[in-house]
Amino acid sequence: MNADAHSVLVPAGPQAAGIAHLWWIYFGVCLVIALAIIGLTAALALRRTPVTAPDVAGDSRLARIVGGAVILSVLIVFGLLIVDLVIARSLRVPADRPALSIEVTGHQWWWSVRYLDPAVHKSFVTANEIHVPVGRTVRLLLKSADVIHSFWAPSFAGKKDLVPGHPAELTFQADRAGTFRGQCAEFCGLQHAHMDLVIVAEPPKQFEAWATASRGDGAVARGDSAVRGRAVFMSHSCALCHTIEGTPARSQVGPDLTHLASRTTIGAGAFPNTRGYLAGWIVDAPSLKPGVSMPPNPLPGDDLQALLDYLESLK
Ligand code: CUA
């Protein structure tokens, strides 16, 4: 995936910038403390004065030093706590601010993404890829379909757990265009490490064009091979698990494939969306990503090529 840096320290929005700021404050304070401790330890180790018998004046001086250090430690910890609270407060976005609402549902091991719109016919579904317009507040409504997952896109915001039965919200804003990575950040089974998502931040006009295209039905199969591929899709197990808008395939067990060809990866970021990987995925997904729900589909060569032609037309 050709994504920008996947780092808390390279923020791409105000929420992530606040978190990066907090990180640097903690880093600076801890660095000063660590250097002071190392310096004092070295000074003591190099001291030439031999240890002598107990002396009362020395003991009371030592007690003052230890007492002062304890008070200083408490003040530093409280200072960091206050900075933490102030920055956490600044990350909150007012609830009345108009936002783009996207429902993100974690599954083992992929993400279902539903763009919500008050006009229901304008809602649409995609998978493993979130497009957002630069400069607009995005409100993610997070849910889980099975176990606990955690949504983490470090360039934009902190982590938020997806706990079954307990919907959560995460708000962020992208300040610059680019392709960014997200990742499930809570161990959720065998393929936890391959539960990626792509976040594409783009200028509002480009986003609107993408959203408009995504609202449409899947491409009408054109050409003999794609028409045959469509028939293969509908008559095999594909249609039992996936949706392609505008066709009889309406199941929501697996990712929505209406605009599969416009996505950059398959298997939740596990592989690039190329004809070769797609073919391998269809024929034997469990050997590419052990544990996935998608069963092997040993199709005859002609049927497979036709199916690939059809899927590649779903732009
Ligand atoms: Cu989902 Cu880890």
Side-chain angles (χ1 to χ4, degrees):
M1 188 194 313
N2 181 21
D4 285 359
H6 175 69
S7 170
V8 173
L9 301 181
V10 188
Q15 288 74 24
I19 293 168
H21 197 179
L22 185 65
W23 190 92
W24 282 111
I25 292 172
Y26 268 71
F27 177 74
V29 171
C30 293
L31 184 68
V32 168
I33 293 172
L35 290 177
I37 291 172
I38 291 167
L40 287 171
T41 310
L44 278 176
L46 296 174
R47 218 162 86 158
R48 299 251 168 132
T49 333
V51 179
T52 51
D55 110 59
V56 177
D59 277 358
S60 76
R61 192 170 147 247
L62 202 58
R64 282 202 303 277
I65 293 175
V66 171
V70 169
I71 291 170
L72 185 63
S73 302
V74 171
L75 289 178
I76 290 172
V77 170
F78 269 95
L80 288 176
L81 176 68
I82 289 166
V83 172
D84 188 357
L85 292 176
V86 168
I87 290 184
R89 211 182 152 77
S90 75
L91 302 186
R92 274 195 234 145
V93 179
D96 55 354
R97 191 142 142 211
L100 173 68
S101 294
I102 308 172
E103 183 184 274
V104 176
T105 307
H107 300 256
Q108 283 176 310
W109 295 278
W110 59 281
W111 307 88
S112 166
V113 181
R114 180 183 295 272
Y115 283 74
L116 305 173
D117 197 291
V120 179
H121 68 281
K122 284 185 155 184
S123 292
F124 62 94
V125 179
T126 181
N128 305 321
E129 201 167 295
I130 299 177
H131 285 239
V132 298
V134 169
R136 184 162 166 206
T137 305
V138 178
R139 183 162 287 126
L140 298 184
L141 308 165
L142 302 169
K143 294 160 89 179
S144 169
D146 37 47
V147 300
I148 302 177
H149 303 275
S150 184
F151 182 96
W152 190 34
S155 304
F156 297 112
K159 296 171 189 171
K160 189 66 119 179
D161 282 359
L162 284 67
V163 180
H166 293 272
E169 274 193 32
L170 181 69
T171 313
F172 70 87
Q173 180 189 309
D175 276 349
R176 59 184 162 90
T179 304
F180 303 86
R181 265 192 71 195
Q183 167 73 46
C184 179
E186 176 70 40
F187 181 72
C188 56
L190 191 58
Q191 293 296 339
H192 156 68
H194 293 133
M195 191 169 163
D196 287 5
L197 76 158
V198 181
I199 299 176
V200 182
E202 50 201 358
K205 270 195 180 157
Q206 219 170 311
F207 169 78
E208 278 311 324
W210 172 85
T212 303
S214 300
R215 274 181 206 116
D217 287 347
V220 176
R222 285 185 210 289
D224 293 349
S225 186
V227 170
R228 177 175 168 183
R230 185 184 187 279
V232 171
F233 189 96
M234 300 305 158
S235 60
H236 285 74
S237 50
C238 320
L240 298 178
C241 293
H242 296 282
T243 290
I244 296 178
E245 291 292 342
T247 76
R250 308 288 307 170
S251 176
Q252 292 177 3
V253 176
D256 186 297
L257 302 179
T258 307
H259 299 283
L260 170 69
S262 70
R263 305 207 286 257
T264 55
T265 69
I266 57 170
F271 303 100
N273 187 6
T274 61
R275 191 175 175 98
Y277 279 112
L278 196 54
W281 187 262
I282 292 166
V283 173
D284 194 359
S287 75
L288 289 175
K289 191 173 172 179
V292 287
S293 304
M294 171 122 163
N297 295 281
L299 296 171
D302 290 357
D303 281 354
L304 177 63
Q305 294 304 329
L307 180 57
L308 289 167
D309 285 338
Y310 175 54
L311 293 177
E312 287 189 329
S313 76
L314 298 174
K315 293 249 158 63

